[in-house]
Amino acid sequence: MYLGGFQKNSLIDFPGTIACVVFTRGCNFTCPYCHNPDLATGTARPDRGVSSGNSGLNPLNLSQSDNPDQREILKFLDKRKGMIEGVVVTGGEPTLQADLTDFIQTVRQMGYKVKLDTNGTAPKVLDVLFDQGLVDYLAMDIKTDIDHYPMVMKNPGHLDRIMESIALIMKKAPAYEFRTTCARPFVSPGIMENIGKMIRGAESYVLQPCSRNVDVLDPGFAAVDEHFLSADDMVALKAAVLPFVKDTRIR
Ligand code: SF4
């Protein structure tokens, strides 16, 4: 896998599980508010620690030889058995990695639970992971309603994959959440109603206000006040989606 960072400890990324976090490089979306721009563009170095928190950030001492990053992470996991319970694989977009399934399989064989974060553009990859019982928790970002998705997709021809992934996750994931980073023009009460219809009956939906105090993919986007939401705006978004997903939360 092309790795962009590694966080040794996290208590917040995998619900109910002490986990480490593996960050992959490269993404097929261009969300202007993306908080990991160097991962999204694929420019993050594999020896970079990545996190919004301030603990467990020590990057591994990774060399540049034959796929050393992945090997070092597996070595770390081997030593931490019993201390860490799970591994979060996030990005970038992890499903773009050709050897994602092999990596997860190895991690599972070591006894770790796995959470995967995805933007939902690879339902075939998700289907294989579900059928092989390789993922314990799936988190899918819902960027906006289906009409507005082309605003963030490099290939809008893949639009049908979003709905396919949603259906697959609701049917096969052992545990999951859908989540939306809330920023205009990607959300509004009307758009939230449409999203509610897309994920109607889902177990869990999380709304996160978009933070402007971090580096983002498009600095020009962060400079526009109108893109950011107040607490009252967030409550209105939640109200619009509640009729469709009872467990809708603002995080
Ligand atoms: S899908 Fe995620 S990693 Fe990719 S650009 Fe959007 S926020 Fe960034």
Side-chain angles (χ1 to χ4, degrees):
M1 297 213 292
Y2 292 103
L3 300 180
F6 182 68
Q7 184 181 332
K8 291 181 176 179
N9 294 296
S10 169
L11 300 177
I12 58 171
D13 289 287
F14 193 159
T17 304
I18 300 168
C20 63
V21 186
V22 175
F23 297 84
T24 62
R25 281 189 282 172
C27 189
N28 49 357
F29 278 15
T30 55
C31 314
Y33 52 78
C34 178
H35 290 178
N36 283 322
D38 46 357
L39 290 172
T41 57
T43 54
R45 286 172 51 81
D47 57 352
R48 168 181 174 267
V50 181
S51 169
S52 53
N54 61 4
S55 63
L57 286 179
N58 307 326
L60 294 174
N61 184 20
L62 303 173
S63 64
Q64 297 296 312
S65 56
D66 178 34
N67 204 13
D69 37 349
Q70 194 166 312
R71 198 169 53 235
E72 292 296 327
I73 287 171
L74 293 175
K75 238 197 272 179
F76 171 87
L77 289 173
D78 198 41
K79 283 190 202 144
R80 289 301 202 286
K81 279 181 190 166
M83 287 177 269
I84 295 173
E85 303 163 297
V87 177
V88 177
V89 185
T90 188
E93 174 49 39
T95 61
L96 295 176
Q97 306 293 327
D99 50 352
L100 175 71
T101 306
D102 291 345
F103 177 76
I104 291 180
Q105 208 156 26
T106 306
V107 165
R108 293 274 307 190
Q109 280 164 0
M110 296 170 88
Y112 288 100
K113 292 196 282 180
V114 171
K115 171 176 176 264
L116 178 68
D117 294 344
T118 182
N119 62 21
T121 44
K124 286 199 171 89
V125 174
L126 299 185
D127 205 18
V128 169
L129 292 171
F130 292 147
D131 284 350
Q132 294 187 12
L134 293 176
V135 171
D136 299 281
Y137 196 103
L138 200 296
M140 176 176 161
D141 289 334
I142 307 288
K143 301 298 180 186
T144 180
D145 66 5
I146 213 70
D147 287 347
H148 291 85
Y149 252 88
M151 292 169 73
V152 296
M153 297 178 93
K154 287 181 185 170
N155 185 349
H158 291 165
L159 207 49
D160 53 336
R161 298 185 185 181
I162 301 298
M163 291 309 297
E164 213 181 311
S165 288
I166 290 171
L168 205 56
I169 290 165
M170 290 178 65
K171 190 174 166 200
K172 293 189 174 182
Y176 68 88
E177 71 181 28
F178 296 115
R179 61 192 186 190
T180 296
T181 299
C182 297
R184 296 189 189 91
F186 305 101
V187 296
S188 67
I191 288 174
M192 293 314 286
E193 196 179 327
N194 294 337
I195 293 176
K197 290 172 186 164
M198 287 163 63
I199 60 169
R200 188 194 298 261
E203 271 174 21
S204 164
Y205 184 38
V206 176
L207 306 181
Q208 311 170 129
C210 183
S211 164
R212 64 189 311 179
N213 301 319
V214 292
D215 287 343
V216 295
L217 191 58
D218 178 357
F221 182 87
V224 179
D225 290 344
E226 173 61 17
H227 291 154
F228 297 88
L229 301 165
S230 68
D232 286 347
D233 294 330
M234 293 298 296
V235 169
L237 297 183
K238 178 179 169 181
V241 83
L242 265 178
F244 307 98
V245 183
K246 283 198 183 79
D247 182 10
T248 297
R249 282 165 285 149
I250 297 171
R251 184 182 283 159

